[in-house]
Amino acid sequence: MDRRQFLIGLGAAGVVGAATLTGCGGDDSGGGGGGGGGTESTPASSPMEGGAGGDVGVFTWWAEGSEKEGLEALEGLFKEDYPNNTFVNLAVAGGAGSSAKAKLAADLQNGNPPDSFQGHAGAELIDYIDADQILPVNDVIDELGGADVFPQDLLDRITVNDDIYSVPSNVHRANVVWANPKVLAEAGASEQPGDLDAWLADMQKVKDSGVETPISVGGTWTQVQLFETILLAELGAEDYSALFTTEGDWESDGVKSAVEKYGKILEFANTASDGDDWPAATDAVIEGRAAYNVMGDWAVAQFASKDKVDGEDYTYFAVPGTEGVFDFLADSFTLPTGAKNEEGAKDWLRLVGSEEGQKAFNLAKGSIPARTDVAPDDFPPYQQSAMKSFKEDTIASSIAHGAAVSMAWLSDMSTAMSKFYSGRDEAGLQSDLASAAKTYAV
Ligand code: GAL
């Protein structure tokens, strides 16, 4: 029996929730590499000085704004370190892969994979492994330093049957409120509300001060992300983590109350259409049209790229009720089955996992390095605070960004959230979420 385990949530000191995936691939192969064979399943690679040569097509959704800058930082280093290779940027615009994931799925399905693509550590990666769409990269991870340089908990989320399937590039935090301190001061709202009720009261103050939409939202995935943080606030990390296992109770009073509070928050938000991406929602805070936006910490790069000053032009705090919890997601890069330039792709993975690659990329992206040996002092204050939180806080997995639920489960949840956004049927949302969990929780 093929038993796969990945962590759903873990404390700074250990696991608080775990899910076991059992035989979802339909056989016991454990993925395209033959599975179960540890490092035996991938031959040791022998990096060539200057790179293997040829085109290296890299697929991401980092096509605009600060995300593009992060990718460009990596591209610049790739050109310097591997001059024999030609970087081919296959990015498809749309935050959280809102358009990219469908294109990628079609390309993989049609046997036309890129040489490497971005995938989230956790449940999303397991989907690709189950579908035999990616190969183990144990050799690259070993070369980079393995568990000496990547946190074991993170490696666990990209490992199946002892094979490691991607190289992590970064860690992001999803439960961050980005705020405009000038708007808050003018409204007499607090700098950091203590809980969701206090936050709702502050939203009312902001509204009374003449700001029509105190909190900004974008399309559906941003709503899923906002909702997951409200779930976390209402349930706490342990019960939240249990939601992604058969132990979870989506029909509980806690989930009911989270749905109610989420509905109240939406009453203070702008009207968004599904195509509205995160930069527009963050810009609403930058420009003072909203006081708050809940966004992953890729947003800090947006403030920085517009020369906004930390503490003066913008502030940040954990979504009220989630202090001490780090709502986690991590990007990582894969080696697709059938990649045309496997050796060139491995050069890309080597760069992504290197100390210099992680420093350059994460400085531009707002995330923190996945590697533990990149010096915090080289990063601005927000990222330093995130590095500290990642070490000390309880870790919970993001729903919207592939850490907690499979792509099919996320798709059903997104449909439910979108329906709620237009219809505001609280009981309907809770029952849709419960029925999705019944279908997918294992
Ligand atoms: C996430 C991804 C982040 C960032 C964000 C917004 O899914 O992990 O790196 O790109 O989407 O696009």
Side-chain angles (χ1 to χ4, degrees), residues 61-62 67 95-96 118 120 170 172 221 278 298 329 331 365 401:
W61 51 85
W62 298 330
E67 312 211 290
Q118 165 192 3
H120 287 123
N170 60 299
H172 271 302
W221 72 263
W278 72 267
W298 43 92
L329 62 124
D331 295 296
K365 183 71 160 57
H401 305 286

Side-chain angles (χ1 to χ4, degrees), residues 204-419:
Q204 187 62 55
K205 285 187 190 161
V206 172
K207 186 156 183 135
D208 292 345
S209 78
V211 177
E212 255 321 286
T213 56
I215 181 165
S216 60
V217 294
T220 304
W221 72 263
T222 75
Q223 296 158 28
V224 175
Q225 187 185 318
L226 171 59
F227 178 65
E228 81 188 33
T229 68
I230 305 306
L231 269 179
L232 249 183
E234 281 299 283
L235 300 179
E238 199 151 344
D239 287 354
Y240 169 88
S241 300
L243 288 176
F244 314 113
T245 73
T246 47
E247 306 294 301
D249 184 3
W250 286 89
E251 277 155 357
S252 68
D253 287 347
V255 174
K256 181 165 187 257
S257 161
V259 169
E260 278 165 18
K261 296 227 162 105
Y262 172 66
K264 286 194 180 130
I265 290 172
L266 282 189
E267 285 169 24
F268 290 105
N270 55 295
T271 305
S273 69
D274 201 27
D276 291 346
D277 212 346
W278 72 267
T282 305
D283 285 350
V285 174
I286 292 178
E287 290 158 21
R289 288 179 283 110
Y292 313 105
N293 175 229
V294 172
M295 191 43 61
D297 44 16
W298 43 92
V300 76
Q302 180 83 353
F303 286 100
S305 72
K306 300 206 165 175
D307 296 325
K308 298 298 164 191
V309 179
D310 184 334
E312 260 174 52
D313 299 317
Y314 66 98
T315 56
Y316 40 84
F317 48 88
V319 168
T322 70
E323 295 78 17
V325 179
F326 191 107
D327 184 13
F328 153 97
L329 62 124
D331 295 296
S332 67
F333 281 86
T334 60
L335 179 62
T337 311
K340 286 181 201 71
N341 188 355
E342 201 170 296
E343 285 309 313
K346 285 189 178 179
D347 291 334
W348 170 253
L349 298 178
R350 287 183 186 104
L351 174 73
V352 164
S354 69
E355 200 180 335
E356 65 161 357
Q358 302 238 325
K359 185 174 162 191
F361 174 69
N362 288 294
L363 271 172
K365 183 71 160 57
S367 37
I368 61 175
R371 287 178 71 115
T372 50
D373 58 350
V374 185
D377 291 354
D378 294 336
F379 285 81
Y382 170 75
Q383 278 141 303
Q384 290 193 22
S385 74
M387 287 183 203
K388 190 165 179 287
S389 297
F390 187 56
K391 270 202 204 118
E392 294 170 1
D393 288 2
T394 299
I395 308 295
S397 290
S398 169
I399 297 172
H401 305 286
V405 298
S406 64
M407 289 185 269
W409 191 346
L410 175 57
S411 167
D412 278 17
M413 288 186 74
S414 302
T415 303
M417 298 303 299
S418 166
K419 201 164 114 193

Side-chain angles (χ1 to χ4, degrees), residues 135-203:
L135 296 171
V137 292
N138 304 317
D139 52 347
V140 179
I141 290 284
D142 287 351
E143 226 182 86
L144 289 165
D148 291 341
V149 300
F150 293 107
Q152 187 59 51
D153 291 331
L154 181 53
L155 291 178
D156 287 345
R157 290 164 186 250
I158 54 176
T159 300
V160 167
N161 291 340
D162 296 332
D163 277 327
I164 301 176
Y165 281 87
S166 64
V167 174
S169 48
N170 60 299
V171 169
H172 271 302
R173 182 177 195 174
N175 59 323
V176 188
V177 180
W178 303 93
N180 183 317
K182 291 174 189 128
V183 172
L184 296 185
E186 263 163 44
S190 58
E191 287 176 4
Q192 177 169 358
D195 58 25
L196 288 179
D197 289 329
W199 193 26
L200 282 161
D202 277 344
M203 287 189 202

